[in-house]
Amino acid sequence: MKILTRLSKTLTRIALNLITLAGLAWMIWYSLQLFTHQVPNPLQGSLILLGGFVGWVLFIKLAVSRYCRTFPSFKFTVFALLCLAIVFSFAGVAPMSDYKDTLVVKWDTWTQEQDAKRAEERRLVQEEAEKQKKEQSVAITPTPVPVIPKAVEPPATIPIGISEVEKEAFDLINQARMEAGLKPTTWDDKLYKLSKAHTEDMADKGMLFHTPMGAGYGENAWGASWGRTSKSSLARTMVNGWLSSPLHKAWIMHIPLKTSVVSIVDDSRGQYASWTFYMAGDGGPPLINKAYNMWQTETGGSIPWLDWLDVKGYPSNTEWLVGK
């Protein structure tokens, strides 16, 4: 008997849930019809909706009255509504399917934007890394010209004396020579004046170039065109750039060199540097002579030395230079 009573209450509760759910669904549907102006008579439609709501409330009151004593489960009602909404959205029943499609489109758009943003960040990081490898360092074999170079004297505004960054770069070059088993070079104030004048000239013109052959000295030139290198890392950045370039390194490791200096410009004109040395009079390192002879053979001097190096892809491509 108890089993029948419990079963009767359960069935009654289920019936109440279904009726409550149906009434709620009807009110939602009719509200949409009314608010989207699909009901011919708005006043009549409003009265019908109000009457339906009152009837729905009275039905619930009746269910919990002393005649029925059974209260419909709103948890079950909400759960059933959610389940129906999901089923309708994937079954193609409007408007739930339209809402689902809109949400899917928005989600896909958001994920694509995030993927594009991450890809752009990776591209910028890779671009910055490549720029660091392609510093504007050009091999410094003096360009032969028939014109006798003018006397190079530093302008009166050029300070005499070396800065901390210039001394650091000079020490790093000597350190690299000593690590290779070579003697360090010594500083020369007169050569520093010539080097500083050349570096100032590059900064004024906004380009890299080299002292013509016949001056008795030459330089490794350096310049950055994509922003500024911090003062704390400027010396190491330029020296590492020279050491990673075969033609620059050949001069740094040239055994006969005895005297060299470093001059740097770091102001509103940009960042430029010269490692200047007195030539030993033997034509330079073998690698430099090889490149110079190739330039003469291929161009006869008709193409400027730096332009020819650009054509060769130097310094990113050095296979032509080392014979690989």
Side-chain angles (χ1 to χ4, degrees):
M1 189 70 180
K2 290 182 178 181
I3 295 176
L4 293 175
T5 303
R6 185 173 296 177
L7 179 61
S8 175
K9 288 184 177 182
T10 301
L11 293 175
T12 302
R13 178 178 285 268
I14 292 174
L16 289 174
N17 283 332
L18 292 175
I19 296 172
T20 302
L21 179 62
L24 183 61
W26 177 84
M27 285 189 293
I28 293 174
W29 171 81
Y30 198 80
S31 297
L32 289 174
Q33 295 288 317
L34 181 63
F35 295 145
T36 55
H37 307 288
Q38 298 184 34
V39 177
N41 191 329
L43 177 61
Q44 182 181 355
S46 300
L47 293 175
I48 292 174
L49 179 62
L50 180 61
F53 178 75
V54 171
W56 185 69
V57 173
L58 290 176
F59 172 78
I60 295 176
K61 289 285 187 181
L62 179 63
V64 297
S65 67
R66 59 178 180 165
Y67 302 106
C68 188
R69 298 183 182 278
T70 301
F71 191 79
S73 174
F74 281 97
K75 291 181 180 179
F76 172 81
T77 303
V78 172
F79 176 74
L81 278 173
L82 290 175
C83 291
L84 282 175
I86 294 172
V87 171
F88 288 166
S89 64
F90 285 95
V93 178
M96 299 309 300
S97 62
D98 296 335
Y99 298 153
K100 183 262 295 181
D101 292 341
T102 302
L103 288 175
V104 169
V105 170
K106 289 183 177 180
W107 173 258
D108 289 341
T109 303
W110 182 82
T111 54
Q112 290 174 5
E113 289 176 352
Q114 295 302 309
D115 291 342
K117 184 178 180 181
R118 286 191 290 268
E120 179 66 14
E121 290 175 353
R122 289 194 297 269
R123 185 187 68 79
L124 292 176
V125 170
Q126 184 178 1
E127 233 179 42
E128 184 64 24
E130 290 177 354
K131 286 179 179 179
Q132 293 295 332
K133 294 179 181 179
K134 295 179 180 178
E135 294 178 348
Q136 282 188 349
S137 299
V138 186
I140 56 66
T141 301
T143 306
V145 294
V147 181
I148 299 176
K150 297 179 180 179
V152 183
E153 288 294 337
T157 56
I158 299 177
I160 304 299
I162 61 174
S163 67
E164 293 180 2
V165 181
E166 290 170 336
K167 185 178 184 305
E168 181 185 358
F170 177 74
D171 292 339
L172 287 172
I173 289 174
N174 276 337
Q175 179 182 339
R177 283 179 62 89
M178 289 187 291
E179 289 176 355
L182 306 178
K183 292 182 179 180
T185 61
T186 58
W187 187 274
D188 183 87
D189 288 337
K190 181 180 178 181
L191 183 62
Y192 175 75
K193 294 179 183 179
L194 300 173
S195 178
K196 193 72 171 183
H198 181 84
T199 306
E200 290 280 352
D201 199 13
M202 290 195 301
D204 289 337
K205 295 177 180 177
M207 60 183 295
L208 299 180
F209 51 90
H210 298 292
T211 302
M213 183 175 291
Y217 61 91
E219 62 278 314
N220 276 2
W222 180 91
S225 62
W226 53 83
R228 304 188 69 84
T229 301
S230 63
K231 185 176 180 180
S232 60
S233 62
L234 181 57
R236 187 166 295 277
T237 297
M238 66 177 64
V239 173
N240 286 344
W242 287 327
L243 290 175
S244 63
S245 163
L247 294 181
H248 289 85
K249 186 175 181 180
W251 275 115
I252 291 176
M253 298 301 175
H254 192 35
I255 297 175
L257 293 185
K258 297 180 180 180
T259 307
S260 72
V261 296
V262 175
S263 63
I264 297 173
V265 167
D266 183 7
D267 55 26
S268 60
R269 293 170 293 176
Q271 293 177 314
Y272 295 86
S274 300
W275 173 64
T276 308
F277 50 86
Y278 282 129
M279 294 182 183
D282 60 351
L287 191 62
I288 299 295
N289 293 334
K290 178 181 179 181
Y292 178 79
N293 291 333
M294 290 175 62
W295 171 61
Q296 286 283 10
T297 301
E298 292 184 10
T299 70
S302 59
I303 299 178
W305 167 256
L306 300 186
D307 294 342
W308 179 73
L309 287 177
D310 287 338
V311 171
K312 288 291 186 179
Y314 188 85
S316 61
N317 175 24
T318 57
E319 293 184 358
W320 57 273
L321 183 62
V322 296
K324 291 183 178 180

